[in-house]
Amino acid sequence: MPETRPAAAASFDPAAFATFRFVDVAIDEASATVALRYALDDAVTFEETVSFPDVAWPQDAERRAALRRLAGLLHLLAGVSYFKTAAPPTIVLEPGAGPFGGRLTPRLRALLRDVYTLGLGEFAYVNRLDVRERGAWPAADDGGPGDVPRLAPTGRTLVPIGGGKDSVVALEVVQRAGRDAVCFSVGTAGPIVASIAASGRPHALARRTLSPTIGEVNANGALNGHVPVTAIVSTIALMAAVLHGADAVAMANERSASEGNLVWQGLEVNHQWSKGAAFEAAYREVLGEELVAGLDYRSVLRPASELAIARAFSRLERYHPVFTSCNAVFRLDPARRRSNWCGDCPKCRFVFLALAPWLDPPALRAIFGADLLDGEGGPAQDDGFADLAGLRQHKPFECVGEEAESLAAMRLIAGTGPDGAPVPGQEAVSGARSGPSPWAGHAVVARLREEHLAPLDADPAQSAALLAPFLLHAPAMAALPDDLRPAVEAVLGA
C-alpha cells in the first residue's frame, strides 16, 4: 500500500486527527520481511518494515503460526512510534490488524493500554499531554486466543546485543549456563558488530526501517518524544528466535530499570519502563498464554543492579576496547551520529561512574578518551554526576542506574577524605579496593565528597546502603530457570 505523505512544507496539526488506525500487517516470506501499516484518519499513512536477512522462512506449521502471531503483536507495539505523532483520542483496529485479526483479548488489551500510557510516560511529561485521556482501545473480545502454537525445545538461546556492557554480561551468563548462545541485533551499529565479533558467537540480524513519513511529520509539527522501544525490539527478537531455531530470548534488563524518574499528575514516568519487571511479567504472560508456547522470554540480569553488572563487566576485558553505551552512536541522523563516547551525556557519565570502583583512571581514559571525573569531556560534569544520584534534581531521562547505586559508586571512589581512605562498609563489597582510591583527587570526585558525601560516612546505616547494590534480588533469582541461577551467581554474585 503506497504511503500518503504530507507535503514537505505543510504544517501538521496533531489536534486535527480523531483516530489512529492499525491498517494491516503483511508478511513476504520470500524476503523474510514484515510490513506494518498504520494511518491517522484517512489523511496520513505510515508503513514500517522489519526484515530478517540470510534466513529462510520455516515450512513447519507451528513455527509459521508462531511467526504470524508475533508479527501481529509487533504490529500493535511498533504502532506507538506513529500514534504519538498526534496521540488522537481513538484507536481503531482494521480486520487485518494484530495477531487475532482485529480482535483484542482482555489480557492483550491490558498490556497495550499500559504500553501506550506508562510506556509513553516520559513523552507525556515532556509534552504536558495526559496520554491516559488519549488512544482509547476497542473493547476486548472474550472469545480467547484460539489454539496456541507450541514450539519444540532446541537448547538454543538468542541474546540481543546492544553494544553496551549489560548485553555482554547477559551473554556471559547464558554461556556459563551451557546454552547454545546466538547473538542478535537490530541493525549493524559499530559497537554491536564489534562486541559480537569479540564474543565469537554467531550473529542473527534484523533490520528495522521506520516509515519515511515519520520524519516529515516530525519536521512539520507532530508530537515527538521517547517511546518504549524495548517492547518493540523484544518482539523482533522473538521472531528472530523462531527463525533461527532458538527456544528462548535472554534480555539484559536489570532490576534498576524498574525505578521511575518521577511522578507527574499521578503518572509514574520511567524512561526505562519497557525494560522494567512489570512490563516483562505482563509481556511474558501474553506471550506464553496467547501467542506461542515453548518460547521463553526473560531478562537474565533481573536479580542484579547496574553496579553489580558493571563489576562483572570490568572483568570481561576483551570487550573494553569495543563496547559503547552512548546513545550518540545510535542516532538515526547520520550527520549527528558519533563513532564513540560523547563524554557529555547522562549515559556516558553513568557508565564511567559505575566502572570507576573497579577500573583505574588510565583504563577508563583509554575507553572513553577523557577523564570525566576530572571534569574533562564537557562543562556540565559536576552537575551531571550529581543528578545521577538525585543530589540536585530527578534522575535523568536515560538508561541509567538507581539513584542509590550511583550514590554508592560515588562513595566507593571518593573515600572518607581527600586521600580517598576507604569508606565504612567498603570491606563488605567484594572486589572493592582496600587501599586509598585513585579517584580521590579528581575534581568532580572532590566536589561531590565535599558537598554531598562527607556527612554520610558518619551514619552507621550507610554501610548497609553501600552493600545493597551488590546483593542479588532473591525473588528474581528464584524465578530464573534452574540452569541460569548458578550462572547468574557465578557471574554477578559476590
Side-chain angles (χ1 to χ4, degrees):
M1 182 177 74
E3 291 189 290
T4 304
R5 303 185 193 173
S11 63
F12 182 94
D13 178 12
F17 300 98
T19 60
F20 180 73
R21 296 168 47 221
F22 289 85
V23 178
D24 66 10
V25 53
I27 297 174
D28 182 346
E29 296 184 2
S31 63
T33 299
V34 179
L36 313 170
R37 297 170 182 139
Y38 313 93
L40 288 166
D41 294 338
D42 293 319
V44 180
T45 64
F46 305 93
E47 180 174 321
E48 171 177 323
T49 60
V50 177
S51 61
F52 301 89
D54 304 319
V55 65
W57 209 260
Q59 296 303 306
D60 62 283
E62 293 297 290
R63 288 204 295 159
R64 291 169 68 85
L67 286 167
R68 285 194 298 272
R69 291 196 170 203
L70 290 171
L73 178 64
L74 178 61
H75 185 216
L76 298 179
L77 294 175
V80 73
S81 297
Y82 308 101
F83 166 82
K84 71 173 173 58
T85 60
T90 303
I91 288 174
V92 172
L93 271 65
E94 305 291 347
F100 308 123
R103 296 186 302 108
L104 293 177
T105 65
R107 186 186 281 117
L108 177 57
R109 187 183 186 278
L111 174 68
L112 293 170
R113 183 61 181 160
D114 283 348
V115 169
Y116 281 69
T117 52
L118 299 175
L120 287 176
E122 180 182 339
F123 165 84
Y125 173 76
V126 170
N127 288 282
R128 293 300 193 264
L129 177 75
D130 194 338
V131 289
R132 293 167 295 188
E133 300 173 353
R134 307 295 185 100
W137 288 88
D141 184 333
D142 291 326
D147 293 334
V148 177
R150 176 171 293 277
L151 303 185
T154 65
R156 172 173 287 186
T157 296
L158 198 81
V159 184
I161 302 295
K165 64 181 182 1
D166 294 9
S167 56
V168 165
V169 174
L171 178 61
E172 183 77 4
V173 168
V174 169
Q175 293 186 103
R176 186 71 66 94
R179 296 190 180 187
D180 178 18
V182 177
C183 296
F184 165 76
S185 72
V186 177
T188 54
I192 292 174
V193 173
S195 294
I196 293 174
S199 77
R201 301 303 303 169
H203 182 188
L205 176 64
R207 297 187 185 277
R208 183 187 182 203
T209 304
L210 293 174
S211 170
T213 310
I214 193 76
E216 297 179 12
V217 299
N218 283 345
N220 293 312
L223 298 170
N224 206 350
H226 179 72
V227 300
V229 68
T230 300
I232 301 167
V233 171
S234 295
T235 311
I236 298 173
L238 285 165
M239 293 190 70
V242 175
L243 286 166
H244 289 271
D247 60 14
V249 171
M251 301 296 290
N253 302 323
E254 72 296 330
R255 72 169 185 249
S256 308
S258 299
E259 180 186 74
N261 298 79
L262 53 86
V263 175
W264 175 69
Q265 294 190 357
L267 178 69
E268 183 183 46
V269 177
N270 182 358
H271 176 84
Q272 302 188 81
W273 179 81
S274 59
K275 290 184 175 183
F279 168 78
E280 181 180 319
Y283 185 86
R284 275 172 52 81
E285 186 176 11
V286 169
L287 173 67
E289 297 293 328
E290 301 192 353
L291 297 176
V292 189
L295 181 59
D296 190 37
Y297 170 90
R298 69 179 68 246
S299 173
V300 299
L301 303 187
R302 186 64 67 195
S305 72
E306 279 274 27
L307 207 51
I309 294 166
R311 178 178 62 180
F313 180 78
S314 71
R315 305 169 187 140
L316 303 175
E317 296 181 2
R318 68 185 181 280
Y319 296 101
H320 293 184
V322 297
F323 90 108
T324 306
S325 300
C326 177
N327 287 332
V329 177
F330 304 98
R331 287 172 178 155
L332 295 177
D333 182 357
R336 300 178 59 241
R337 191 180 303 152
R338 291 181 59 94
S339 61
N340 212 321
W341 305 89
C342 77
D344 193 21
C345 73
K347 195 68 174 287
C348 284
R349 292 186 191 102
F350 177 74
V351 177
F352 197 103
L353 176 64
L355 289 173
W358 328 112
L359 299 177
D360 290 338
L364 281 184
R365 176 183 282 279
I367 292 171
F368 287 83
D371 188 336
L372 309 191
L373 285 169
D374 216 15
E376 300 175 12
Q381 302 296 22
D382 284 336
D383 289 343
F385 277 102
D387 288 345
L388 292 174
L391 298 173
R392 208 177 62 95
Q393 58 181 12
H394 68 78
K395 185 176 69 172
F397 289 129
E398 254 299 355
C399 294
V400 297
E402 298 169 348
E403 292 178 353
E405 62 183 314
S406 290
L407 186 63
M410 290 173 184
R411 294 180 62 220
L412 285 171
I413 63 173
T416 59
D419 61 349
V423 299
Q426 182 167 320
E427 67 282 353
V429 178
S430 175
R433 297 180 180 89
S434 57
S437 169
W439 298 98
H442 287 49
V444 176
V445 178
R447 180 177 173 185
L448 289 169
R449 181 176 56 245
E450 179 182 349
E451 295 185 4
H452 301 289
L453 305 180
L456 298 177
D457 294 332
D459 181 358
Q462 291 302 317
S463 292
L466 197 68
L467 181 60
F470 304 98
L471 301 176
L472 296 176
H473 185 56
M477 284 291 285
L480 292 174
D482 291 344
D483 64 326
L484 287 177
R485 281 196 295 274
V488 168
E489 182 66 46
V491 174
L492 291 155

